[in-house]
Amino acid sequence: MNDAKPTDLPDQLRHYIGGKLTDSVSGETFDVLDPTTNEVYIKCASGDKADVDKAVAAAREAFDSGPWPTMMPRERARILNRIADEVQAKNEELAARESFDSGLPIRQAKGQAMRAAENFRFFADLIVAQIDDAFRMPGRQMNYVNRKPKGVAGLITPWNTPFMQESWKLAPALASGCTVVLKPAEFTPLSAELWVEIFENAGLPTGVFNIVHGFGETAGDALVKHEDVNLISFTGETTTGQIIFGNCAPTMKAMSMELGGKSPAIIFADADFEAALDSTLFGVFSLNGERCTASSRLLVERSIYDKFVDAYAERAKKVVVGPPSDPTSEIAALVHPEHYERVMNYVEVGKSEGRLVAGGKRPDHLPVGNYLEATVFADVPRDARIFQEEIFGPVVAITPFDTVEEAIDLANDVKYGLAAYVWTNDITKAHNVAHQIESGMVWINSHNVRDLRTPFGGVKGSGLGQEGGYRSLEFYSTQQAIHVTLGDVHTTRFGATGYSDTDPGLAGPGC
Ligand code: NAD
């Protein structure tokens, strides 16, 4: 029995549909595991098409007949700000649940609520300050944009920092006036339940927010294929994104995809060595390495390569692996035994592809649970699987380079393009390298520090579309163009007296 188990858990986790916690229509449940023991600690309702149909109907009713989509932005913003306050007030409870359910070190789980709350505050501000375009054709026409929420949003989220990931979709979707059906990841359904009380306390109208738990292939699939769902915002693996992309096609849904990554950190010889070391250790070993923007490939200039590898390995050997509830743990338990097995397979593959300089096994003092030491492979060639494929655990590949061109070529030679990190004190080189990297985001002399106003998303296999700032609101909104004649109506009179080549209506017929 794990002492860290939150004491206030319900008998089982349920869907939330039309303002009520409900069991599955089928009565089916699935097991949720404690990642430190892999024992079942709670059951969760397992949704399928019947549950998704009910949830989408509730969201559709709230969209078509409820107050949310047409509410004044200021009024909606007030509710979003109340949501943020409610989220923040749950910081301790959320951290305890998130850490217990997903295996995140407790110190890193703390603060997730603050980030989630900020997402709501940010979009509350944005909708109040929002300006839409208007274009005047003097004396003739006025053309303007009528922004409308897109409709029912299907939100499908992954298991890494699940609550924060959910907030990143919920906040702009709700701010835009959409109603939503959330399908949380099946490995980590526990924290999603907190939204129920948060939204009810904040006064979100009934039916605007719904949850259907369950597996991707059943609940997620039914949501993606549902005719009454207008858009899908998905975060998860690239291969899942490809399936969803295809499944959205028949109903022509809008899609936003935030997918996998294999992000490079390029460390030039002239970089601040210690700062680069700290940042690249944190970048791949924080959040158990289960982070999409992890700096999981380190490309290091040859002249400092040996020194860097030695220093990196020394520090990695001292990274503290321990239970999620222990505040001294820097890495804790990976989320699920299936994922653990996948990561451990990569560690075995890595042993024949690179030189193991730290970690590579379960820590001796943690015989049970999904634990792995901070694992470092050096001299990894570009065609190695551990160089090319996303591992999503505390495993890093280090590769030397000789020239700037080679560094860029190595950075770009993977199917992903989510984030990149550049370390150099040469400002010209930093910008030029950043511009040539195929990724949605680049941090120069910095680890992953988010600015909510900037675009977030990947290129190539890492995603489709970019969210962040007003871009998120664009995704969840339709921009309808309204054209109004101001002066005389100029229409070429077909079927009347014939028309002349100088008729104004001929100048620009629309398509
Ligand atoms: P996953 O693709 O296995 O699952 C993500 C979600 O999709 C889950 O809720 C799952 O149930 C659902 N799903 C699975 N199959 C589905 C289907 N056929 N139809 C509809 N829904 C389906 O991903 P994961 O293992 O939960 O998360 C880890 C992945 O997420 C990593 O690849 C990581 O890089 C990526 N990620 C990306 C970002 C980003 O912003 N780019 C952020 C976090 C995580």
Side-chain angles (χ1 to χ4, degrees):
M1 169 64 187
N2 182 345
D3 293 343
K5 182 175 172 180
T7 48
D8 55 349
L9 300 187
D11 60 326
Q12 76 156 71
L13 300 171
R14 296 186 164 80
H15 312 304
Y16 182 67
I17 298 175
K20 293 196 177 67
L21 287 165
T22 57
D23 292 327
S24 291
V25 172
S26 66
E28 290 292 314
T29 59
F30 63 88
D31 294 339
V32 189
L33 307 185
D34 166 356
T36 66
T37 60
N38 291 324
E39 285 169 7
V40 180
Y41 78 88
I42 200 165
K43 298 225 173 237
C44 181
S46 184
D48 59 22
K49 185 173 179 307
D51 306 289
V52 168
D53 284 348
K54 280 174 59 185
V56 174
R60 174 54 56 191
E61 168 75 16
F63 189 81
D64 290 345
S65 316
W68 191 248
T70 52
M71 204 177 260
M72 290 294 138
R74 170 68 73 196
E75 204 181 334
R76 214 186 277 147
R78 276 195 200 104
I79 295 180
L80 295 174
N81 278 317
R82 284 207 291 272
I83 291 170
D85 293 342
E86 291 282 331
V87 168
Q88 203 164 326
K90 288 201 181 301
N91 189 29
E92 293 297 319
E93 188 183 355
L94 171 66
R97 283 193 177 210
E98 207 75 313
S99 169
F100 177 77
D101 191 34
S102 72
L104 211 58
I106 184 71
R107 278 180 67 190
Q108 295 169 41
K110 286 186 182 159
Q112 294 291 318
M114 300 305 168
R115 285 193 62 188
E118 262 329 286
N119 287 336
F120 282 93
R121 293 206 178 94
F122 175 80
F123 286 108
D125 289 347
L126 221 53
I127 54 167
V128 172
Q130 194 164 43
I131 296 167
D132 282 315
D133 291 331
F135 310 91
R136 194 167 62 97
M137 297 169 77
R140 288 199 177 183
Q141 217 171 13
M142 183 71 200
N143 307 321
Y144 67 91
V145 171
N146 176 36
R147 183 183 290 270
K148 300 193 279 191
K150 234 173 218 159
V152 175
L155 311 180
I156 302 179
T157 49
W159 47 258
N160 63 319
T161 57
F163 189 85
M164 210 286 294
Q165 296 281 353
E166 289 155 14
S167 76
W168 177 238
K169 297 188 187 303
L170 285 166
L174 296 176
S176 303
C178 290
T179 59
V180 306
V181 177
L182 170 70
K183 209 301 278 171
E186 56 269 37
F187 284 177
T188 54
L190 183 60
S191 55
E193 209 206 24
L194 296 177
W195 291 118
V196 172
E197 199 184 321
I198 288 167
F199 288 143
E200 286 182 357
N201 288 351
L204 191 73
T206 304
V208 171
F209 168 75
N210 304 275
I211 308 178
V212 177
H213 287 289
F215 295 105
E217 296 72 15
T218 46
D221 186 67
L223 190 59
V224 167
K225 292 178 178 165
H226 203 291
E227 295 222 335
D228 240 359
V229 172
N230 303 91
L231 66 92
I232 291 291
S233 179
F234 169 75
T235 300
E237 280 186 26
T238 301
T239 47
T240 315
Q242 287 166 326
I243 295 169
I244 292 179
F245 192 102
N247 287 340
C248 280
T251 46
M252 295 289 282
K253 287 185 176 63
M255 273 177 305
S256 169
M257 303 229 160
E258 297 190 349
L259 308 176
K262 190 75 182 177
S263 301
I266 305 179
I267 300 128
F268 288 99
D270 61 5
D272 179 334
F273 188 91
E274 290 301 322
L277 192 65
D278 287 344
S279 173
T280 49
L281 281 155
F282 183 79
V284 73
F285 297 129
S286 58
L287 306 181
N288 295 338
E290 298 165 323
R291 69 188 291 182
C292 55
T293 53
S295 49
S296 51
R297 290 183 297 144
L298 307 185
L299 311 176
V300 183
E301 194 161 4
R302 181 94 53 191
S303 58
I304 58 161
Y305 183 75
D306 289 340
K307 181 181 164 199
F308 187 89
V309 169
D310 289 349
Y312 198 91
E314 275 321 298
R315 286 275 295 276
K317 285 176 192 160
K318 294 185 193 142
V319 169
V320 179
V321 186
S325 57
D326 183 338
T328 65
S329 297
E330 292 172 315
I331 293 178
L334 303 195
V335 68
H336 191 274
E338 278 172 29
H339 180 62
Y340 182 68
E341 196 187 327
R342 192 172 160 271
V343 173
M344 293 307 263
N345 280 340
Y346 274 112
V347 172
E348 285 314 305
V349 168
K351 287 176 184 169
S352 61
E353 291 185 324
R355 175 166 58 97
L356 181 67
V357 293
K361 63 175 179 55
R362 167 190 289 284
D364 297 335
H365 66 289
L366 293 163
V368 215
N370 308 319
Y371 295 102
L372 170 63
E373 293 171 343
T375 296
V376 184
F377 291 101
D379 311 345
V380 178
R382 71 166 78 203
D383 59 351
R385 285 185 61 199
I386 62 164
F387 186 95
Q388 292 289 335
E389 297 173 21
E390 184 182 46
I391 299 174
F392 221 58
V395 181
V396 67
I398 315 185
T399 305
F401 69 85
D402 290 298
T403 62
V404 173
E405 293 71 30
E406 192 190 0
I408 294 166
D409 190 41
L410 281 165
N412 291 340
D413 196 14
V414 294
K415 73 172 180 180
Y416 297 105
L418 188 58
Y421 307 84
V422 179
W423 288 89
T424 172
N425 279 331
D426 177 338
I427 190 168
T428 309
K429 184 162 65 182
H431 286 280
N432 283 324
V433 169
H435 293 184
Q436 291 177 74
I437 293 180
E438 295 163 353
S439 70
M441 297 164 281
V442 181
W443 278 270
I444 296 175
N445 296 335
S446 167
H447 70 269
N448 175 343
V449 179
R450 280 282 285 126
D451 177 335
L452 295 179
R453 297 166 297 182
T454 58
F456 186 94
V459 298
K460 304 200 293 190
S462 288
L464 197 68
Q466 285 177 314
E467 299 198 25
Y470 63 82
R471 296 163 203 82
S472 300
L473 298 183
E474 311 277 90
F475 174 66
Y476 291 102
S477 317
T478 299
Q479 296 191 37
Q480 182 184 37
I482 307 285
H483 306 272
V484 194
T485 297
L486 294 179
D488 295 339
V489 180
H490 294 290
T491 310
T492 300
R493 301 189 63 223
F494 275 20
T497 55
Y499 56 88
S500 100
D501 286 347
T502 56
D503 271 356
L506 279 180
C511 60

